[in-house]
Amino acid sequence: MKQIKKSLPLSCPSCASPLKVTSLACEACDTTVSGSFELPLLARLSADDLQFVIDFVKTSGSLKLMAQQLGLSYPTVRNRLDDIIANIEKIEKNIKIP
Amino acid sequence: MNTWLLRPFTYIAGGKALLAGWVIMLITSVVAYFSKTHFDGAIDAHIGSTVTPYYIYLLETLIAWGCMVLACYAAAALFARTSFRLIDIAGTLALARAPLLLAALINFAMPARVDPTAIDPMVIVFALICLPVFVWILVLMYQAFSISANLKGNKAVIIFIVTLLVAEVVSKLLMQFTLPLMLS
């Protein structure tokens, strides 16, 4: 049977507000930690955007190298990064960072 | 396939696009010389029968492309919220002119004209046959501008239309004043 790859839900399916983590579990000893935890900023990005950020870090921030690896043009990759930056700024505005 | 035809700049831009665009522009100017097709404007093609030296065809292409690059660069400097590179604008706009080679080739099939200024059935036939080519060029030029300056949506379309009109007027004026000087 094909395994379904689950992705972390980022917003409430009912009201679209950002979701928080209320429970964390250790699979080794079955301990559960409960509370209200903010998701890290990068974890709020979509899976594709997060992968792009990881690739960007792995290439030491070289967009030229990323463009080569992805087979895309430099401005396409640059635009993708600019869109992610805009998305991060939007997330920062939406969440109240203490 | 569609992406390569309508959005090739997703894959190619910058220096590579500029080099490929220049080579195609050079070939287009040679074909235009033999088929007597003038690309005398940012997005213009006219058929003519007057004898004109080769360098005029090359200059027309370069002026048309140069005006479009400068107009798009100015528009990007005014409206783009993120950084952009001149080489991307220049390269993608050079490659966006590639379909003009088709227009120059189509003109070989047109019979010789007696009066180059008259709007006769031949001119209308040429315009109708070339229409899809020019729609294609417009789509490519818009994509070149949109990707190079990271501008999208209705705002980008309006800015592009105004930019194209400015480039058209400036290129027409430049050609009107410089080309006769070169010929004299």
Side-chain angles (χ1 to χ4, degrees):
Chain A
M1 203 174 108
K2 197 180 171 187
Q3 247 193 343
I4 300 165
K5 195 185 173 190
K6 286 196 247 177
S7 58
L8 185 71
L10 300 169
S11 57
C12 171
S14 173
C15 69
S17 299
L19 292 171
K20 285 187 175 183
V21 176
T22 56
S23 177
L24 292 162
C26 171
E27 284 188 336
C29 68
D30 224 8
T31 302
T32 306
V33 182
S34 291
S36 183
F37 308 99
E38 291 283 353
L39 272 174
L41 184 64
L42 289 179
R44 290 171 191 272
L45 292 174
S46 68
D48 282 352
D49 285 356
L50 190 58
Q51 189 56 54
F52 184 93
V53 174
I54 292 166
D55 292 341
F56 182 66
V57 173
K58 278 183 176 174
T59 56
S60 307
S62 168
L63 287 175
K64 275 184 188 170
L65 199 60
M66 271 194 82
Q68 270 177 14
Q69 283 176 0
L70 296 170
L72 297 170
S73 67
Y74 176 87
T76 305
V77 178
R78 169 84 229 184
N79 294 348
R80 181 84 197 278
L81 180 66
D82 288 336
D83 293 344
I84 293 172
I85 293 168
N87 201 8
I88 287 174
E89 284 170 353
K90 203 170 135 188
I91 293 167
E92 278 178 335
K93 271 185 191 171
N94 285 344
I95 54 169
K96 288 163 193 164
I97 297 168
Chain B
M1 188 66 187
N2 259 358
T3 316
W4 265 107
L5 282 178
L6 300 174
R7 291 178 63 88
F9 313 120
T10 305
Y11 307 109
I12 182 168
K16 276 183 198 168
L18 187 65
L19 198 65
W22 274 352
V23 169
I24 297 170
M25 276 163 65
L26 189 70
I27 296 167
T28 304
S29 67
V30 174
V31 176
Y33 170 70
F34 288 109
S35 67
K36 295 187 172 61
T37 315
H38 289 274
F39 298 114
D40 50 350
I43 183 85
D44 273 51
H46 293 112
I47 46 180
S49 59
T50 49
V51 179
T52 320
Y54 164 73
Y55 66 87
I56 294 295
Y57 291 88
L58 184 63
L59 270 177
E60 281 176 347
T61 304
L62 287 174
I63 290 173
W65 165 74
C67 287
M68 198 61 203
V69 170
L70 288 179
C72 283
Y73 186 78
L78 281 172
F79 298 104
R81 286 181 184 174
T82 53
S83 60
F84 59 90
R85 303 187 308 175
L86 176 63
I87 192 148
D88 288 325
I89 295 175
T92 53
L93 283 171
L95 203 53
R97 298 183 71 81
L100 284 177
L101 181 58
L102 283 177
L105 286 167
I106 288 167
N107 203 21
F108 275 121
M110 297 290 144
R113 302 185 64 220
V114 179
D115 182 5
T117 56
I119 298 178
D120 51 32
M122 203 182 89
V123 175
I124 296 165
V125 167
F126 178 72
L128 286 174
I129 294 172
C130 288
L131 191 65
V133 173
F134 280 89
V135 172
W136 187 16
I137 293 167
L138 280 175
V139 171
L140 288 180
M141 279 184 169
Y142 170 72
Q143 295 299 340
F145 175 66
S146 171
I147 288 179
S148 300
N150 196 17
L151 286 165
K152 295 168 207 148
N154 291 341
K155 185 185 163 190
V157 174
I158 294 165
I159 294 168
F160 174 72
I161 291 169
V162 175
T163 305
L164 185 66
L165 290 174
V166 170
E168 175 70 16
V169 171
V170 174
S171 61
K172 280 280 182 196
L173 287 172
L174 260 176
M175 284 179 204
Q176 204 176 337
F177 291 112
T178 54
L179 296 186
L181 281 175
M182 301 208 76
L183 280 169
S184 62

